[in-house]
Amino acid sequence: MKKDIFIYYIFNFLLGFYIANGTTVLFARTLGFSYQQVFILGAIYMLMFIFFEVPSGAFADLLGRKKSVALGCVIVALGALATGASQTFWQVFASLVPWALGFSFISGADQALLYDRISDSKIYIQILGRSKFFFLSATALAGILGPFLFGINFRYPYLFSAIPFFGGGLAILFFQEAREKHVFTLRKHWEQIKEGVRFTKNNQYILWSMGLLALTFAVWYNLFNSYQPFLMDVGFTLRAFSFILPAIFLCEALGGMIAAKLLEFLGENKIFILGLLLFGAAVGAAGVFNNKLSLIFLLLYCVLLGILRTSLSGYANRHIESSHRATVVSVQSMAATLAAALSLFLFGFLTDRLGISQLFIVLGIVTLVCSFVLLLFRPRESGMT
């Protein structure tokens, strides 16, 4: 067990060492793309997941989560090389296909792999929180290296990102998977997809957690595509990104690390109520201040994001049968990516006309409204606080 947990930490560290993570928008802007083009690419990238998420989740449940994760890492590494070599809008567009396909093979399968190995919700949240710390610590280190490499050659962050992605796929092969063996056929694959979708539709807890995932993911993805130029607009230099980006990622990692303790101290209800309301307020406040003080609210937002993501993963997996776990998580991820894609089309249009700071204010208001609705309709659980 300890060996597998250690391997899972290594895998998350390597997957998190995405060197280009802090320079993606700057890469696109260097190629001459407008903000609207950047948001369109992000939206289309999200829509690609709709075609890959559920089939890849069913693939993982039938043929093996470990194989699915390893294959996904290799495909993502190829995507990094393709994007790094791109020169036009349509070349970048085409390079997004292996990114979406690869991460679809990883999404859901990695958490299902861990949850079934642990088989305890509380311990799972603790280990997941620590794994996110390793993931985001690596992202923080990559946030230092990325801008440095970008200053030498704007293509280097993408090209060098392929190395840790491939290493993550290699590392996860040493994880001992706890699952029954299944023979893969197209018919069984289709049946697995239908069962996963049916289970999702008929489970009120999964539907609620899917709504919460869609909200937090849509907000995160919109900010991911806008916080880099926003920070530069309020006065930070590219050199400062080497310090700011690690702080952003480490704050999210901190949120993931303390999630288990907060759940034990406050209870799940208070975590979701306080977390969601403060989450929306922090996003809106960053836009209202629109100066270097906005960074404080962005860091608070990142801590809350880490807490909510980790808590939500434990909540959702607690209500999913093992045989459908990767498929159901993939259905949830598909809904979240659809929400992110649709919102990106809208906010990309608004950003070019209103400005990035106004985008933050609008996102904060929308988040607060949606949070109130979600909290109002949250299904009750007996024995939960």
Side-chain angles (χ1 to χ4, degrees), residues 129-152:
R130 295 192 193 109
S131 71
K132 287 185 179 296
F133 177 81
F134 285 108
F135 179 95
L136 292 164
S137 295
T139 306
L141 292 174
I144 298 174
L145 181 59
F148 172 77
L149 291 176
F150 188 90
I152 299 174

Side-chain angles (χ1 to χ4, degrees), residues 278-299:
L278 290 174
F279 182 75
V283 174
V288 170
F289 276 82
N290 195 29
N291 55 38
K292 289 187 176 181
L293 288 176
S294 298
L295 180 60
I296 297 174
F297 296 102
L298 286 179
L299 295 178

Side-chain angles (χ1 to χ4, degrees), residues 207-219:
L207 289 175
W208 185 84
S209 63
M210 185 165 63
L212 180 52
L213 177 64
L215 173 62
T216 54
F217 188 77
V219 173

Side-chain angles (χ1 to χ4, degrees), residues 42-310:
I44 292 174
Y45 174 59
M46 288 290 98
L47 289 174
M48 290 179 182
F49 279 89
I50 295 174
F51 299 101
F52 301 136
E53 275 283 6
V54 180
S56 63
F59 173 92
D61 279 334
L62 288 177
L63 202 58
R65 285 82 183 259
K66 182 168 68 175
K67 292 178 182 177
S68 179
V69 172
L71 177 61
C73 288
V74 173
I75 297 174
V76 170
L78 295 175
L81 294 175
T83 303
S86 298
Q87 299 183 20
T88 67
F89 177 87
W90 291 109
Q91 287 176 348
V92 174
F93 174 90
S95 74
L96 296 179
V97 175
W99 282 97
L101 178 61
F103 276 122
S104 293
F105 274 110
I106 298 170
S107 173
D110 59 341
Q111 293 184 20
L113 183 67
L114 177 65
Y115 194 93
D116 284 340
R117 187 73 177 93
I118 302 301
S119 299
D120 185 290
S121 181
K122 291 184 178 179
I123 297 176
Y124 166 78
I125 291 176
Q126 293 175 354
I127 295 174
L128 182 66
R130 295 192 193 109
S131 71
K132 287 185 179 296
F133 177 81
F134 285 108
F135 179 95
L136 292 164
S137 295
T139 306
L141 292 174
I144 298 174
L145 181 59
F148 172 77
L149 291 176
F150 188 90
I152 299 174
N153 187 310
F154 76 101
R155 298 185 184 277
Y156 281 177
Y158 271 112
L159 296 176
F160 282 97
S161 291
I163 299 173
F165 288 150
F166 183 80
L170 184 63
I172 203 65
L173 291 176
F174 294 93
F175 190 99
Q176 182 179 343
E177 184 172 4
R179 65 181 301 276
E180 297 180 1
K181 299 292 183 180
H182 296 279
V183 177
F184 181 85
T185 65
L186 291 177
R187 182 176 180 179
K188 285 186 176 181
H189 187 238
W190 176 242
E191 289 297 324
Q192 182 70 22
I193 292 174
K194 290 195 298 182
E195 284 298 318
V197 173
R198 186 180 299 114
F199 182 88
T200 303
K201 288 169 56 180
N202 296 331
N203 190 307
Q204 60 179 336
Y205 304 107
I206 299 303
L207 289 175
W208 185 84
S209 63
M210 185 165 63
L212 180 52
L213 177 64
L215 173 62
T216 54
F217 188 77
V219 173
W220 170 81
Y221 202 68
N222 275 279
L223 291 186
F224 178 80
N225 282 275
S226 56
Y227 80 87
Q228 297 164 22
F230 173 77
L231 290 174
M232 297 189 76
D233 285 350
V234 299
F236 291 105
T237 64
L238 181 60
R239 185 182 297 273
F241 275 39
S242 294
F243 305 98
I244 294 174
L245 297 183
I248 286 175
F249 300 133
L250 286 174
C251 280
E252 186 179 345
L254 174 64
M257 283 285 289
I258 65 176
K261 291 293 184 182
L262 287 176
L263 281 168
E264 185 177 338
F265 179 71
L266 295 175
E268 205 170 56
N269 283 337
K270 291 180 181 178
I271 285 292
F272 285 136
I273 294 172
L274 293 175
L276 281 170
L277 298 182
L278 290 174
F279 182 75
V283 174
V288 170
F289 276 82
N290 195 29
N291 55 38
K292 289 187 176 181
L293 288 176
S294 298
L295 180 60
I296 297 174
F297 296 102
L298 286 179
L299 295 178
L300 174 60
Y301 146 81
C302 290
V303 173
L304 294 166
L305 180 65
I307 294 171
L308 287 170
R309 279 182 165 176
T310 305

